[in-house]
């Protein structure tokens, strides 16, 4: 059948074919649905939906309900399969924060402390709702066992859950599961909305590409805001398009407002959809042919639906966020302050990009480059196909309404990309909200090009369409297969894959640390092992039975202290890419063979070294600032708190000190001739507590260093604040202070020098929230 003989609105698989009115109909005076004449007068009027709307049989919704249900079931199954599989294999460093925020949100709802449902300015309300549902599932009585809000930082939530007899990882997996199921519900709704806009096959292929995008799978498996933000933006955009292009029904306007409210409650930056929606309505009111004579009347005509949409959005936010009932001013100020800080100051951590480490904004190239690195090649090629189809839209006689829908989606993508690029704070995952929209547009592009190929080659449409669709899905599924269950380790093979990514991208967010922990947990007395690394200690602690600590083995007393208190060292790829490992220590490792290597997707992520029997590295032996030598006695090389016993008034702080340059046969003589005094000193130099005794050194257990441990009592009557721990060596017979000299400079130090500091608090509650109290 020739194209010229097609009846108006006939669906050839393209999705939407605009049904154009006849000349007689075009000249007739417009009427509303009831047959009455339109009240609109003047040169510019809002177009009548019934005359421009695409007939329902031209979109995916025209398929029989069995087709739609089958498509929905398949898409949800593909979406949920990889996201629910092995959810306990990875913990990222931000998730304990969201686990704590969800706990606080749950506690606030249970206690009626509605103001405390404001936890952070993201605001991440949808994450906390689903996270709270995870607590209802796995820790229902959590609010009954806490006295109120807890600190979001320092992984405090893990300690609270362990004290309650619960496994933090189990609760985290439950909250993740609730969030994933919530995203699946939103995705299914978005699929049904998309069927009202585009053809069945375009929508189905687009949502399958969304479901199997490897990087997106990795992010949407986490208890974090970025994954649900991407689904929220997809839902909000499609709901708005349905309202504008499908008759401007009141019910669709309400749905669009609710969807936008959910998006803003998830991530405040998605508020950019407000100007996008206004622009969309205005363009539609002038039939996408704006001029200086039509634009202002169109803006006035758009006011009523925009105000109604805004009202529904605000109502949605107020209903779902109790903090807006209790303290709206605090909420609004917090969100605005956070937005300005993120836009101007960047992230608190260094960002590695394109071979350089940036302390601030890595520049406008960042997001285009990260998209190419993180997106599946199928998504990138599909986007190119869509842009190609748009360029030739008029020549190929593509339906105008169809093109307008695709352009509207790309406009949302472009505005979001520009907004995020202008902000100083940048990470690859922040761009994730555009991925689902690009996949949907890309699917339309692929099948449009396939249709063109079919016409020119004489093949049935389904042959090139099926070939292209299967190839696109196979490419993405291959990435899923290669990276599971560490989907965050996916990098596009177009640019060299994971092996080349460390040269241009930040790599590693805790992937593979579960394997390191599994190895350590098999060792004898694993609960007493100390494993140190420069990054992601919190993720490690969710799998490791022992003690995970920070490692920065520099040549000063704190660095030595960290070294001598470590059994194993984990060299992880993230600090390597950020220049976060002390270079002399990397040289020290040299050709040493690790006891374990963890390789993911062709890239080595972690090396585990056994350092229990290693002597002090040579570069540390050379001494650093703070090392003190007493001629003929010993050299102090490190000191610090041996146990995290707390610094509440009335408690005890245990200090451990390390010495070398000692004659192993003279330790008994030292304890008979010399004493060691530790003093707790306030800011004015006043000693508020003291411990004293002979210099009784214990024999080296490891690393060749002698050591001793002393306890200092924290008086009940001192003020909260920072206190110095100072050390003196003196002659037991005369009481005279033995002079010490800086090992590096040789200069004499004062009678007492600082070896540590403690921050004293008034109560255990203050100790729990210590990060918030520190100046």
């Amino acid at each position: 059948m020739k194209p010229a003989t097609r009846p108006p609105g006939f669906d050839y698989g393209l999705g939407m074919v605009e049904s154009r009115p006849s000349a007689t109909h075009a000249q007739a005076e417009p009427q509303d649905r009831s047959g009455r004449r339109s009240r609109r007068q003047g040169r510019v009027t809002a177009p009548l939906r019934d005359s421009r709307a695409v007939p329902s049989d031209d979109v995916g919704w025209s398929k029989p309900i069995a087709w739609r249900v089958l498509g929905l079931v398949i898409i949800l199954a593909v979406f949920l399969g990889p996201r629910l599989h092995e959810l306990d294999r990875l913990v990222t460093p931000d998730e304990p924060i969201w686990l704590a925020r969800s706990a606080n949100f749950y506690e606030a709802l249970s206690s009626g402390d509605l103001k405390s449902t404001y936890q952070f300015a993201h605001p991440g309300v949808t994450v906390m709702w689903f996270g709270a549902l995870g607590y209802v599932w796995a820790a229902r009585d959590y609010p009954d066992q806490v006295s109120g809000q807890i600190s979001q930082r320092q992984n405090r939530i893990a300690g609270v859950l362990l004290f309650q007899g619960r496994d933090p990882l189990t609760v985290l997996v439950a909250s993740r599961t609730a969030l994933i199921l919530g995203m699946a519900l939103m995705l299914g709704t978005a699929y049904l909305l998309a069927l009202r806009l585009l053809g069945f096959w375009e929508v189905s292929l687009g949502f399958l590409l969304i479901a199997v995008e490897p990087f997106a799978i990795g992010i949407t498996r986490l208890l974090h805001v970025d994954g649900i933000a991407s689904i929220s933006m997809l839902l909000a955009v499609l709901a708005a398009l349905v309202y504008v292009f499908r008759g401007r029904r009141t019910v669709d306007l309400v749905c669009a407002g609710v969807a936008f409210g959910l998006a803003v409650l998830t991530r405040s930056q998605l508020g950019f959809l407000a100007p996008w929606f206004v622009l969309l309505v205005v363009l539609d009111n002038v039939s996408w042919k704006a001029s200086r004579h039509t634009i202002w009347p169109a803006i006035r005509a758009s006011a009523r639906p925009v105000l109604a949409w805004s009202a529904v959005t605000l109502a949605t936010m107020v209903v779902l966020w109790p903090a807006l009932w209790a303290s709206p001013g605090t909420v609004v100020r917090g969100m605005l302050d956070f937005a300005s800080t993120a836009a101007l100051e960047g992230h608190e951590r260094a960002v590695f990009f394109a071979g350089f480490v940036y302390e601030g904004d890595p520049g406008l190239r960042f997001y285009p480059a990260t998209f190419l690195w993180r997106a599946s090649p199928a998504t990138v090629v599909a986007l190119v196909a869509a842009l190609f189809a748009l360029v030739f839209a008029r020549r190929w006689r593509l339906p105008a309404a169809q093109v307008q829908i695709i352009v509207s989606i790309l406009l949302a993508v472009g505005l979001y990309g520009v907004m995020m690029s202008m902000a100083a704070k940048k990470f690859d995952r922040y761009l994730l909200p555009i991925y689902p929209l690009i996949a949907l547009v890309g699917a339309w592009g692929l099948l449009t090009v396939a249709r063109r190929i079919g016409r020119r080659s004489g093949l049935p449409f389904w042959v090139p369409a099926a070939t292209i669709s299967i190839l696109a899905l196979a490419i993405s599924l291959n990435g899923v297969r290669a990276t599971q269950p560490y989907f965050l380790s996916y990098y596009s093979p177009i640019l060299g894959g994971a092996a080349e990514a460390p040269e241009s991208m930040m790599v590693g967010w805790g992937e593979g640390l579960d394997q390191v922990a599994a190895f350590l947990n098999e060792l004898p007395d694993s609960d007493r092992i100390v494993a140190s690394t420069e990054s992601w200690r919190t993720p490690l602690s969710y799998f490791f039975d022992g003690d995970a600590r920070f490692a920065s083995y520099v040549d000063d007393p704190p660095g030595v202290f960290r070294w001598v208190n470590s059994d194993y060292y984990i060299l992880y790829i993230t600090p390597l890419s950020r220049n976060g490992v002390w270079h002399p220590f990397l040289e020290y490792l040299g050709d040493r063979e690790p006891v374990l290597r963890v390789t993911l997707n062709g890239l080595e992520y972690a090396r585990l070294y056994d350092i229990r029997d290693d002597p002090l590295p040579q570069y540390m032996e050379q001494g650093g600032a703070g090392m003190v030598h007493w001629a003929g006695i010993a050299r102090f090389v490190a000191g610090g708190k041996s146990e995290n016993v707390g610094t509440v008034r009335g408690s005890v702080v245990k200090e451990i000190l390390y010495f070398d340059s000692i004659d192993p046969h003279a330790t008994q003589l030292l304890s008979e001739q010399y004493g060691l005094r530790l003093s707790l000193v306030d800011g004015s130099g006043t000693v508020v507590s003291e411990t004293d005794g002979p210099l009784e050194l214990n024999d080296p257990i490891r690393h060749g260093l002698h050591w001793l441990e002393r306890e200092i009592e924290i008086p009940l009557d001192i003020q909260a604040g920072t206190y110095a721990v100072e050390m003196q060596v003196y002659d037991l017979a005369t009481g005279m202070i033995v002079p010490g000299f800086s090992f590096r400079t040789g200069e004499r130090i004062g009678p007492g020098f600082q070896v540590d500091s403690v921050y004293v608090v008034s109560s255990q509650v203050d100790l729990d929230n210590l990060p918030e109290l520190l100046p």
Side-chain angles (χ1 to χ4, degrees):
M1 182 178 293
K2 297 181 180 179
T5 62
R6 297 176 185 173
F10 191 82
D11 182 9
Y12 275 82
L14 239 168
M16 295 186 310
V17 181
E18 186 173 7
S19 179
R20 302 186 182 276
S22 65
T24 303
H25 180 264
Q27 295 172 1
E29 188 172 1
Q31 296 179 342
D32 62 18
R33 294 179 182 175
S34 63
R36 295 175 296 182
R37 293 181 180 179
S38 170
R39 295 181 180 178
R40 298 185 180 92
Q41 297 178 356
R43 296 183 61 183
V44 179
T45 62
L48 295 178
R49 297 297 94 199
D50 291 323
S51 65
R52 290 186 63 242
V54 177
S56 61
D57 60 352
D58 291 328
V59 294
W61 198 258
S62 65
K63 289 290 185 183
I65 188 172
W67 283 69
R68 285 176 273 156
V69 171
L70 179 61
L72 180 63
V73 170
I74 292 174
I75 285 164
L76 291 181
V78 174
F79 180 82
L80 290 172
R83 286 165 176 82
L84 294 176
H85 181 61
E86 292 188 301
L87 270 179
D88 58 350
R89 294 292 301 276
L90 169 69
V91 175
T92 59
D94 285 0
E95 286 185 283
I97 299 174
W98 283 106
L99 190 63
R101 289 170 180 164
S102 299
N104 286 340
F105 191 85
Y106 181 32
E107 190 279 332
L109 292 174
S110 299
S111 65
D113 180 17
L114 302 184
K115 183 178 179 179
S116 293
T117 58
Y118 172 68
Q119 289 289 308
F120 196 66
H122 275 319
V125 175
T126 53
V127 178
M128 293 186 293
W129 269 112
F130 289 116
L133 288 177
Y135 276 89
V136 173
W137 182 358
R140 183 182 297 271
D141 60 344
Y142 171 86
D144 301 329
Q145 300 189 40
V146 293
S147 58
Q149 302 284 289
I150 66 169
S151 171
Q152 301 175 11
R153 303 289 175 173
Q154 303 298 316
N155 197 26
R156 173 61 182 159
I157 183 62
V160 172
L161 291 172
L162 287 171
F163 181 78
Q164 295 180 1
R166 296 186 171 97
D167 177 20
L169 184 59
T170 299
V171 179
L172 176 61
V173 169
S175 294
R176 282 175 171 175
T177 302
L179 182 60
I180 292 170
L181 293 176
M183 285 188 284
L185 178 62
M186 297 171 69
L187 186 77
T189 304
Y191 175 75
L192 297 178
L193 289 172
L195 288 176
R196 296 182 60 192
L197 295 168
L198 300 173
F200 178 82
W201 298 112
E202 284 84 349
V203 172
S204 297
L205 175 59
F207 275 74
L208 285 173
L209 289 175
I210 292 170
V212 298
E213 184 74 47
F215 178 57
I217 293 175
I219 296 295
T220 51
R221 282 163 54 92
L222 307 178
L223 185 66
H224 205 284
V225 70
D226 297 305
I228 191 171
S230 67
I231 306 300
S232 298
M233 181 168 164
L234 174 68
L235 181 63
V237 168
L238 293 177
L241 292 174
V242 167
Y243 166 72
V244 172
F245 289 97
R246 291 295 175 265
R248 292 204 182 186
R249 300 187 307 170
T250 300
V251 64
D252 292 332
L253 182 63
V254 172
C255 291
V258 171
F260 179 58
L262 291 173
V264 177
L265 285 175
T266 300
R267 185 181 277 285
S268 58
Q269 288 91 332
L270 295 184
F272 91 98
L273 287 173
W276 170 82
F277 180 75
V278 173
L279 179 61
L280 197 64
V281 174
V282 171
L283 286 175
D284 191 63
N285 276 339
V286 296
S287 299
W288 291 69
K289 297 178 181 180
S291 70
R292 63 187 180 87
H293 299 294
T294 62
I295 190 67
W296 288 113
I299 291 175
R300 288 193 296 270
S302 304
R304 180 175 295 180
V306 168
L307 289 175
W309 176 78
S310 302
V312 175
T313 296
L314 181 60
T316 302
M317 295 179 64
V318 171
V319 168
L320 293 179
W321 198 3
L324 287 174
W325 316 345
S327 184
T330 300
V331 171
V332 173
R333 284 193 301 272
M335 293 176 67
L336 292 177
D337 290 344
F338 172 75
S340 61
T341 300
L344 299 176
E345 298 182 8
H347 202 270
E348 61 270 16
R349 293 180 181 270
V351 176
F352 176 79
F353 171 62
F356 296 93
V357 177
Y358 295 86
E359 296 296 334
D361 188 351
L364 297 178
R365 297 181 302 148
F366 183 81
Y367 282 125
T370 57
F371 175 74
L372 293 176
W373 272 108
R374 285 302 206 174
S376 166
T379 302
V380 176
V381 173
L383 175 61
V384 172
L387 296 176
F388 185 79
L390 287 176
V391 170
F392 291 94
R394 178 169 295 185
R395 178 181 297 180
W396 293 355
R397 297 182 180 180
L398 299 182
Q402 186 181 85
V403 171
Q404 289 167 10
I405 290 173
I406 297 301
V407 169
S408 299
I409 296 175
L410 289 177
L411 181 61
V413 169
L415 288 176
Y416 182 81
V418 170
M419 178 191 67
M420 297 306 294
S421 294
M422 297 303 294
K425 187 176 182 180
K426 292 181 172 70
F427 276 121
D428 53 3
R429 64 182 186 274
Y430 290 176
L431 197 65
L432 191 67
I434 73 170
Y435 283 55
L437 294 172
I438 288 178
L440 182 58
V441 168
W444 170 84
L446 289 175
L447 293 185
T448 299
V449 171
R451 183 171 292 101
R452 189 69 182 176
I453 293 173
R455 288 177 180 174
R456 294 183 67 89
S457 64
L459 294 172
F461 161 66
W462 67 267
V463 175
T467 302
I468 291 175
S469 300
I470 292 173
L471 182 60
L473 291 172
I475 291 172
S476 293
L477 285 171
N478 183 61
V480 173
R481 177 200 57 79
T483 56
Q484 64 178 345
Y486 309 104
F487 301 101
L488 294 178
S489 66
Y490 177 83
Y491 294 90
S492 175
I494 293 178
L495 299 181
E500 298 297 328
E503 298 298 322
S504 299
M505 296 280 295
M506 290 189 300
V507 177
W509 212 22
E511 303 97 307
L513 290 180
D514 62 314
Q515 298 185 33
V516 175
F519 177 89
L520 293 172
N521 291 340
E522 292 295 322
L523 299 176
D525 298 322
S526 61
D527 59 332
R528 301 181 62 182
I529 292 175
V530 176
S532 300
T533 184
E534 279 82 5
S535 65
W536 314 149
R537 302 181 307 283
T538 296
L540 177 65
S541 68
Y542 276 70
F543 305 100
F544 180 36
D545 295 337
D547 188 1
R549 296 185 183 179
F550 175 66
S552 179
Y553 302 140
V554 298
D555 60 346
D556 63 7
V560 176
F561 183 81
R562 289 186 284 266
W563 166 266
V564 299
N565 281 280
S566 300
D567 298 302
Y568 287 84
Y569 170 71
I570 303 166
L571 180 63
Y572 196 71
I573 193 169
T574 306
L576 278 175
S577 65
R578 287 175 170 172
N579 292 332
V581 182
W582 186 244
H583 185 68
F585 181 65
L586 285 177
E587 293 181 346
Y588 166 79
L589 291 177
D591 297 328
R592 289 170 51 87
E593 184 63 27
V595 296
L596 176 69
R597 296 175 184 265
V598 177
T599 300
L600 308 174
N601 197 20
L603 177 64
E604 188 174 84
Y605 271 67
R607 297 178 186 175
L608 179 66
Y609 293 90
D610 184 350
I611 60 173
R612 289 174 296 180
D613 298 325
D614 291 3
L616 202 65
Q618 183 61 38
Y619 73 89
M620 290 184 179
E621 286 281 3
Q622 297 172 0
M627 292 186 180
V628 177
H629 180 72
W630 291 274
I633 302 178
R635 180 178 68 156
F636 166 80
V637 294
K641 289 178 279 293
S642 63
E643 295 182 17
N644 187 19
V645 294
T647 51
V648 179
R649 289 187 300 199
S651 65
V652 173
V653 172
K654 296 181 179 181
E655 292 284 337
I656 186 169
L657 307 172
Y658 292 95
F659 299 84
D660 69 356
S661 302
I662 300 172
D663 184 345
H665 303 293
T667 54
Q668 180 64 33
L669 183 61
L670 290 177
S671 65
E672 295 174 357
Q673 293 184 355
Y674 300 102
L676 183 140
R677 181 180 299 119
L678 291 182
S679 304
L680 192 66
V681 182
D682 64 16
S684 65
T686 303
V687 176
V688 299
S689 183
E690 195 171 78
T691 181
D692 202 339
L695 185 59
E696 296 179 341
L697 297 177
N698 296 294
D699 292 334
I701 298 177
R702 56 187 178 183
H703 306 299
L705 299 177
H706 295 263
W707 60 280
L708 62 82
E709 188 177 70
R710 291 288 172 85
E711 296 183 351
I712 305 178
E713 294 184 358
I714 308 296
L716 286 169
D717 57 349
I718 66 173
Q719 297 294 320
T722 301
Y723 292 81
V725 178
E726 295 184 352
M727 181 176 74
Q728 294 176 337
V729 175
Y730 63 93
D731 190 301
L732 286 174
T734 65
M736 297 294 292
I737 302 299
V738 178
F741 299 86
S742 169
F743 185 77
R744 173 167 288 178
T745 66
E747 295 179 357
R748 181 169 175 169
I749 63 171
F753 71 97
Q754 183 173 333
V755 296
D756 199 4
S757 64
V758 296
Y759 189 82
V760 178
V761 296
S762 301
S763 65
Q764 184 64 38
V765 173
D766 290 338
L767 182 64
D768 294 341
N769 296 284
L770 186 57
E772 283 80 6
L773 297 174
L774 291 174

